[in-house]
Amino acid sequence: MLILIINAGSSSIKYQLLNMNSNALIAKGLIERIGIEGGKVIHKYYKNDNLEKVEINQNFLSHIEGMRVIVNLLTDSKIGVIKDVSEVDAIGHRVVQGESVSHPVLITKEIKEFIRKISPLAPLHNPANLLGIEVAEQLFKNVPQVAVFDTSFHQSMPAKAFRYAIPNEFYINHKIRVYGAHGTSHKYVREQAANYLKNKNVKTISLHLGNGASITAINQNGESIDTSMGFTPLNGLVMGTRSGDIDPSALFYMVRECGVNFEELDDLLNKKSGMLGMTGKSDARDVEQLSYEGDKNAVLCLDLYSYRVKKYIGAYMAALNGAEAIIFTAGIGENDCNLRYLICKDLDFLGIKLDKEKNEKFNSPDRVVEIQSEDSKIKILIIPTNEELAIAQETLKIIAKH
């Protein structure tokens, strides 16, 4: 049973081809910086039990171009791992916004229309997710496809966490509430933490820090009780192109006094703010480089970014009445030792103490690692996320039913 997983982000596509008879990885890759200069493909595949690597520097104007490259790599006459796309038994897709859907579903015309209809709730991701589905349908004809929704994990949040203090009619009639995102990743790394610490009841604060970023409080039952993203993925932390938290009155002011059209606000806050708005760069690696070169805007951006994360850690320590572990995951969380340092700095009162040497030594790990100091009361873990494996497992369950 070969399952291909497509995880289309706002500026990237991650993919994995897995043999679900053994959960064995056959090939995986990352296409990054879609729509940004400096695009790259990192493709890895097994050959004679050795993991080989191919890197291609290529700009991608769209996700369609990226999907075609994936198919070409998988079926290439020299490095391909399958001869034809018909060898793939099913395709699983990560879809960010599923509204109140609490389980994966087989993709049909109706499901595609549902994903399209609720795209305004995740304007950077759902259109990319849907595009991935539609391109996959063209390239993998007659292969069943499954959607696994990021919002599902957060359906366990209590009303006090997911409701907004606005007139009830907007919740009842228009379903305006907190949905969250990155649920597949938060759920996966929490399970990995519980296994690693041999404590199924571990309370954790999970930091999924990538171009999109969110933080989630997870209780002793492994349930999300609060998360930083809200009605859409715009809320919460500073991100690559998203503003994160902002006083709504500032938006009214921008319309009245700054000449911003109301229709422009969505694009401004989702695609032109965050790191990009502050520094001109949306990729944290580029912002880091500017910071090292002394760019004041970049220095401030990193300070603001880490400060926002600190505030949420404090809030979620209160919401959980204490936690046993902090988890760093995703592109920045796993690979940026400087931002991990800035985030954990001066959190001693909460029992969070980072070991600087471990933090640098264990950067970009391929397994769970601990980076807290010996006298830290809280475990600080870096856990490589594997949303693709989690999605594959859910996809297999759905396919088995049909």
Side-chain angles (χ1 to χ4, degrees):
M1 174 67 74
L2 298 185
I3 293 182
L4 175 65
I5 302 304
I6 302 296
N7 183 348
S10 54
S11 62
S12 65
I13 304 175
K14 289 193 289 185
Y15 59 94
Q16 287 191 15
L17 182 65
L18 299 116
N19 183 338
M20 296 309 293
N21 294 328
S22 59
N23 283 347
L25 175 69
I26 298 174
K28 67 176 181 178
L30 168 66
I31 297 178
E32 57 181 353
R33 300 173 73 98
I34 296 173
I36 307 171
E37 286 293 322
K40 178 187 288 188
V41 183
I42 301 174
H43 178 74
K44 299 179 181 180
Y45 62 98
Y46 276 98
K47 183 177 182 179
N48 300 325
D49 294 328
N50 294 316
L51 188 62
E52 306 287 346
K53 180 179 178 181
V54 174
E55 289 192 21
I56 303 172
N57 293 310
Q58 175 182 335
N59 288 335
F60 298 92
L61 295 177
S62 69
H63 287 70
I64 295 176
E65 292 183 19
M67 284 289 295
R68 287 175 177 155
V69 167
I70 292 170
V71 171
N72 291 338
L73 287 168
L74 292 176
T75 60
D76 185 85
S77 59
K78 293 183 179 179
I79 66 170
V81 292
I82 56 175
K83 293 182 179 179
D84 189 82
V85 294
S86 62
E87 294 180 41
V88 176
D89 295 292
I91 300 175
H93 294 266
R94 174 206 180 204
V95 181
V96 168
Q97 176 56 257
E99 209 173 52
S100 297
V101 177
S102 59
H103 53 82
V105 295
L106 192 69
I107 293 173
T108 61
K109 289 183 179 179
E110 292 74 21
I111 292 299
K112 286 192 292 181
E113 183 55 36
F114 168 70
I115 294 170
R116 180 179 289 107
K117 181 180 178 181
I118 61 175
S119 286
L121 300 182
L124 291 186
H125 285 88
N126 267 40
N129 301 153
L130 182 58
L131 187 58
I133 291 168
E134 292 178 335
V135 174
E137 286 179 333
Q138 296 173 25
L139 300 176
F140 297 83
K141 296 185 183 300
N142 302 317
V143 176
Q145 303 192 63
V146 172
V148 179
F149 296 102
D150 250 4
T151 50
S152 298
F153 181 58
H154 301 300
Q155 293 301 305
S156 56
M157 287 189 297
K160 64 182 180 182
F162 73 70
R163 286 289 299 271
Y164 291 116
I166 56 177
N168 292 332
E169 63 184 276
F170 291 100
Y171 169 66
I172 296 169
N173 299 329
H174 302 284
K175 300 181 180 178
I176 297 177
R177 52 158 287 176
V178 171
Y179 290 108
H182 296 140
T184 306
S185 176
H186 288 299
K187 181 175 184 285
Y188 176 82
V189 296
R190 193 275 176 185
E191 290 172 350
Q192 296 301 304
N195 292 335
Y196 175 79
L197 297 172
K198 296 180 173 56
N199 179 6
K200 66 178 183 179
N201 300 124
V202 62
K203 291 191 288 185
T204 58
I205 297 174
S206 171
L207 282 68
H208 179 105
L209 306 179
N211 192 264
S214 66
I215 177 170
T216 295
I218 305 174
N219 69 12
Q220 65 274 13
N221 299 319
E223 300 167 330
S224 168
I225 66 162
D226 206 347
T227 193
S228 60
M229 286 181 167
F231 178 60
T232 74
L234 177 61
N235 198 59
L237 307 178
V238 175
M239 301 174 231
T241 64
R242 300 189 192 107
S243 65
D245 292 338
I246 186 172
D247 181 352
S249 291
L251 311 184
F252 307 148
Y253 185 88
M254 290 164 71
V255 171
R256 287 196 308 263
E257 307 294 336
C258 304
V260 178
N261 293 329
F262 186 77
E263 291 76 15
E264 294 174 345
L265 285 178
D266 193 313
D267 190 62
L268 179 69
L269 296 177
N270 274 294
K271 299 180 180 180
K272 298 178 180 178
S273 296
M275 289 184 168
L276 179 64
M278 294 189 71
T279 70
K281 303 290 185 180
S282 64
D283 191 296
R285 290 166 293 190
D286 296 333
V287 178
E288 293 269 13
Q289 183 59 42
L290 287 175
S291 174
Y292 294 144
E293 294 169 1
D295 185 286
K296 293 181 179 179
N297 288 329
V299 172
L300 174 59
C301 179
L302 297 179
D303 283 343
L304 195 157
Y305 183 103
S306 57
Y307 180 67
R308 186 72 60 83
V309 178
K310 283 176 185 284
K311 290 202 295 183
Y312 270 95
I313 290 175
Y316 288 170
M317 288 290 280
L320 288 165
N321 191 22
E324 286 92 46
I326 304 288
I327 301 171
F328 285 94
T329 194
I332 293 172
E334 296 171 31
N335 304 302
D336 195 323
C337 55
N338 181 52
L339 271 173
R340 288 195 303 267
Y341 167 75
L342 291 174
I343 289 167
C344 293
K345 184 182 177 183
D346 298 328
L347 291 180
D348 306 45
F349 182 78
L350 295 177
I352 300 170
K353 294 185 179 182
L354 186 75
D355 185 305
K356 289 185 65 176
E357 185 176 335
K358 290 179 182 177
N359 180 44
E360 295 177 6
K361 178 181 178 181
F362 295 125
N363 198 41
S364 306
D366 58 3
R367 56 186 170 81
V368 182
V369 295
E370 299 182 32
I371 57 171
Q372 76 278 355
S373 63
E374 292 186 4
D375 59 342
S376 178
K377 295 180 181 179
I378 307 294
K379 296 283 189 181
I380 306 174
L381 308 176
I382 306 174
I383 303 181
T385 192
N386 196 339
E387 295 166 289
E388 291 75 23
L389 177 58
I391 293 168
Q393 292 169 340
E394 296 292 347
T395 298
L396 186 60
K397 292 176 185 178
I398 296 298
I399 296 301
K401 293 178 181 178
H402 293 81

